[in-house]
Amino acid sequence: MDKVELAGFLRSRRERISPADVGLAAGPRRRTPGLRREEVAHLAFISTEYYTRLEQARGPRPSREVLAGLSRALRLSDAEREHLHLLAGAPPDPAPGPPREVRQSILDLIHRLPQSAAFVTSATLEVLAWNALAAALMEDFSALPRRERNLARRVFLGPRPEGQRLYGVSDADAFARHAARRLRTAAARYPEDPEVTGLIRELRAGSEEFARLWDSHDVDGAPTLRKIFRHPLVGPVTVNCDALDLADRDQQVVIYTAVPGTPSEEALRLLSVIGTQRLDAVR
């Protein structure tokens, strides 16, 4: 516990909040910037004496309940809440489950990439958002129930139309290894989430390959930078693969692009015209 840093952090967060922010009247005699100590203590359901000692770097280590009350009273962001816990020597409890909400700015980004197939995955490889070209290249995710949008479930349990694994992509086996590693990291980060534990249990029961990879305990591996999709309409499409980590959401933006001037670029351009309607008709 860093008492001095904790005291300074609490004071700085208190002084930035106006009484109006928490439904209090400012009053004519208020000389303190932000809230008074007794007001924070009241909002956090702790005694004024105890809160004062924390701000004076004289208090004992606060419990998780006290830290939760202070986080609520001081209107801390997720990053500030984590920082508060670390200063108090009590790392915050893990998030209950992988975040699924995608920031609007990221949604706007992937839809502004007309010549790229782009999508967003969660910590468990659920496809959360996608643009039209990603749907045309891989699958119309909007036509699937949520559980079937998980790429880990897809690579290990299928389906495999025409015997092709994971949309006929060239690195399906490497992706399977990557998926097992991603899920092991997710299991460590969200140990109490029933969806995470349920997915792993389902994959272990339904796939000998996953069970073997899971038992290897690997958690790292080299990324695939180029892959080939064997598309049923336009044939092989070679794409560069880039993944951008969204650390605050534990998500990834995956972007597939073709080298300019190649047949694969022309194939992606054709797919952008075809879309998903013709794919549904072919099936």
Side-chain angles (χ1 to χ4, degrees):
M1 175 179 175
D2 191 330
K3 292 187 177 183
V4 174
E5 286 295 323
L6 176 62
F9 183 67
L10 289 174
R11 185 165 53 252
S12 69
R13 300 306 89 178
R14 172 173 62 83
E15 291 176 349
R16 73 174 182 173
I17 301 177
S18 70
D21 290 337
V22 292
L24 297 175
R29 298 184 180 180
R30 183 177 291 270
R31 293 174 294 180
T32 303
L35 297 179
R36 298 187 177 102
R37 288 172 176 170
E38 60 267 24
E39 291 168 338
V40 173
H42 175 75
L43 292 170
F45 299 103
I46 59 178
S47 71
T48 300
E49 178 185 3
Y50 179 45
Y51 179 76
T52 299
R53 292 177 65 191
L54 288 175
E55 271 205 17
Q56 293 175 344
R58 299 186 298 110
R61 174 179 295 176
S63 66
R64 290 185 180 274
E65 290 75 13
V66 168
L67 293 172
L70 290 172
S71 298
R72 183 176 58 251
L74 296 171
R75 299 196 165 191
L76 300 185
S77 66
D78 289 343
E80 290 170 332
R81 171 182 168 273
E82 181 176 3
H83 186 61
L84 174 68
H85 277 73
L86 293 174
L87 291 177
D93 292 330
R100 299 188 64 256
E101 182 179 354
V102 180
R103 285 202 307 269
Q104 185 61 48
S105 60
I106 299 299
L107 295 175
D108 294 340
L109 170 66
I110 64 175
H111 291 297
R112 288 172 181 161
L113 300 172
Q115 300 304 316
S116 303
F119 56 98
V120 182
T121 61
S122 71
T124 60
L125 291 168
E126 177 186 348
V127 177
L128 303 175
W130 56 91
N131 64 9
L133 189 51
L137 178 64
M138 300 166 68
E139 185 165 19
D140 184 3
F141 296 105
S142 66
L144 301 176
R146 179 189 155 198
R147 65 173 273 110
E148 300 304 326
R149 296 175 190 167
N150 187 286
L151 298 181
R153 182 179 280 113
R154 175 88 186 210
V155 74
F156 288 111
L157 302 182
R160 299 188 182 187
E162 301 179 4
Q164 293 197 117
R165 186 181 194 188
L166 195 66
Y167 316 115
V169 73
S170 59
D171 70 329
D173 292 344
F175 181 83
R177 293 191 293 272
H178 165 74
R181 292 164 181 151
R182 279 282 296 274
L183 289 180
R184 181 164 288 284
T185 299
R189 191 166 292 160
Y190 310 103
E192 304 300 326
D193 182 61
E195 286 197 23
V196 174
T197 57
L199 174 61
I200 293 169
R201 187 165 53 249
E202 177 186 358
L203 295 179
R204 290 197 61 152
S207 169
E208 292 183 2
E209 178 187 16
F210 178 81
R212 175 177 52 80
L213 291 171
W214 183 261
D215 291 340
S216 72
H217 293 269
D218 290 338
V219 293
D220 196 12
T224 299
L225 301 180
R226 180 169 292 186
K227 60 181 68 183
I228 302 173
F229 283 88
R230 297 175 183 86
H231 196 276
L233 293 182
V234 299
V237 183
T238 301
V239 294
N240 295 322
C241 177
D242 293 286
L244 311 177
D245 288 326
L246 305 177
D248 64 317
R249 298 293 178 95
D250 203 5
Q251 297 168 357
Q252 277 193 339
V253 181
V254 180
I255 304 174
Y256 295 146
T257 55
V259 175
T262 63
S264 291
E265 183 189 35
E266 186 60 32
L268 286 183
R269 186 176 292 112
L270 179 58
L271 279 177
S272 69
V273 175
I274 294 174
T276 57
Q277 292 183 356
R278 186 176 168 187
L279 296 182
D280 293 338
V282 169
R283 290 173 187 168

